Amino acid sequence: MNRVFELSNGKQIPCIGYGTWQIKDEKTAIDVVKKAIIMGYRHIDTAAVYGNEEAVGKGLHAVDIPRENLFITGKLRNTKRGYQNALSEFNNTLDKLGLDYLDLYLIHWPASWHRYADWEQINLDTWKAFAELYHEGKIKAIGVSNFMQHHLEALMKTEIVPMVNQIEFHPGQLQKETLEFCQNHRILVEAWSPLGTGKMLSNALLVNLAAKYDKSVAQICLRWCYQHEVVPLPKSVTPSRMLENLNIFDFEIEEYDMDQIDRIPYFGGSGLHPDEIDF
Ligand code: A2P
């Protein structure tokens, strides 16, 4: 259950994480984070913009588990890009979570040419703050989220190459170019909305494969991520589904079926594109 991948700096990251996107209600967030850890999740993913950092922090602290056994990810909100902003916003995140370090901190979305003439410089300035916090030991690994190759290129020339890129990744949204670019440069890919925000659950091919492997469609999606060496971050507030989503290590999808899943055309997802977002 607690298998790990290794990041380019040698730090280990659990192969599956618990996503907290869209869990806004405080009581629910505290409760599900607590349950997730008790169930066996060791990797919890949150973000400033989710508005639940305090609740996630309370959930973490409600369980008696050594801090070093947990892997906690935070993300910098888009309105706080830039060097100084990123430094102070990171401290707000630590305070809200009640932690003294993060395992992973990500730039949530790239500044893009669509909105900013100096988008590359904005990303570089933000990255400089991340590198500084990393050197100070306040973050054990640093990375980005929703970056495509053209967003990543400027950062690749800096002293620290991003260790992680968290992107929307699920059957029907393979993002092959981004995946290959990252994997060729030892940037571990994480999958947000690995079930396509739940839309993949009714896909006919996946339903058939679920029957073939005697698994649920969700487990097929998550196992497909894992076999691509991508870390899925499923979100569920339903305990039975949370447990189901953890249990993906006792079967293997055959190569032919992996290939068929890779070829599923776009079937739905968030609909968000990194160069088109206006938030
Ligand atoms: P819920 O939170 O009510 O359990 P994604 O992670 O791709 O964004 O998908 C999240 C959606 O998928 C949520 O609506 C969640 O519902 C649902 N979901 C998560 N895990 C499962 C599962 N194992 N089976 C069915 N639906 C699931």
Side-chain angles (χ1 to χ4, degrees):
M1 190 191 282
N2 288 309
R3 295 198 194 179
V4 293
F5 289 131
E6 195 173 284
L7 300 177
S8 59
N9 68 344
K11 182 169 173 63
Q12 295 190 331
I13 177 169
C15 289
I16 185 159
Y18 180 69
T20 62
W21 183 37
Q22 290 177 334
I23 310 180
K24 281 213 154 74
D25 174 67
E26 187 185 12
K27 218 167 144 279
T28 307
I30 297 172
D31 184 51
V32 291
V33 168
K34 194 175 138 189
K35 283 201 176 103
I37 298 171
I38 292 169
M39 237 173 237
Y41 286 90
R42 292 292 173 264
H43 174 177
I44 310 287
D45 181 276
T46 184
V49 79
Y50 300 168
N52 60 16
E53 286 173 319
E54 280 176 358
V56 168
K58 285 181 188 164
L60 299 176
H61 294 294
V63 190
D64 186 18
I65 181 167
R67 170 69 182 90
E68 62 272 22
N69 292 359
L70 294 175
F71 188 103
I72 311 297
T73 301
K75 304 186 203 86
L76 177 75
R77 67 172 79 232
N78 295 348
T79 51
K80 297 292 180 183
R81 295 188 185 108
Y83 176 73
Q84 279 302 342
N85 276 345
L87 289 180
S88 57
E89 180 67 3
F90 172 74
N91 284 322
N92 290 337
T93 283
L94 275 192
D95 285 348
K96 286 189 178 158
L97 286 166
L99 298 176
D100 52 16
Y101 72 89
L102 282 188
D103 296 278
L104 177 64
Y105 196 45
L106 307 175
I107 302 180
H108 204 152
W109 290 86
S112 90
W113 57 269
H114 181 78
R115 289 195 73 191
Y116 303 97
D118 57 344
W119 60 280
E120 281 199 305
Q121 192 55 49
I122 296 173
N123 290 330
L124 283 169
D125 290 346
T126 311
W127 192 241
K128 188 174 159 211
F130 274 51
E132 206 166 290
L133 293 163
Y134 175 71
H135 284 309
E136 286 171 13
K138 291 183 179 162
I139 316 170
K140 305 300 175 192
I142 52 175
V144 296
S145 182
N146 302 301
F147 275 50
M148 300 168 80
Q149 181 174 337
H150 58 281
H151 306 115
L152 278 165
E153 260 155 8
L155 303 194
M156 304 303 291
K157 296 176 195 130
T158 68
E159 170 216 0
I160 303 182
V161 169
M163 296 153 195
V164 168
N165 187 14
Q166 184 181 124
I167 59 175
E168 181 173 3
F169 182 92
H170 48 78
Q173 189 153 351
L174 177 62
Q175 299 213 45
K176 197 165 190 283
E177 283 174 19
T178 306
L179 179 69
E180 282 179 1
F181 181 84
C182 288
Q183 294 189 332
N184 288 338
H185 292 88
R186 289 206 68 197
I187 301 172
L188 179 117
V189 174
E190 295 183 329
W192 63 263
S193 280
L195 313 179
T197 63
K199 296 189 182 87
M200 294 316 297
L201 299 171
S202 58
N203 178 275
L205 172 65
L206 296 176
V207 169
N208 282 338
L209 290 174
K212 171 176 171 180
Y213 289 97
D214 196 19
K215 290 284 164 186
S216 71
V217 176
Q219 286 169 323
I220 296 289
C221 292
L222 302 173
R223 178 74 200 191
W224 172 81
C225 292
Y226 171 67
Q227 287 184 216
H228 271 298
E229 295 188 21
V230 169
V231 173
L233 304 166
K235 169 260 162 189
S236 173
V237 292
T238 314
S240 58
R241 291 174 173 173
M242 291 165 68
L243 195 57
E244 175 183 315
N245 294 346
L246 258 190
N247 291 321
I248 60 162
F249 300 110
D250 60 352
F251 75 111
E252 185 166 352
I253 302 172
E254 292 161 16
E255 211 176 307
Y256 176 79
D257 293 333
M258 283 294 288
D259 193 50
Q260 290 216 80
I261 302 174
D262 286 359
R263 291 165 195 270
I264 293 178
Y266 185 70
F267 193 76
S270 75
L272 298 172
H273 188 287
D275 278 327
E276 286 161 18
I277 56 151
D278 59 1
F279 54 85

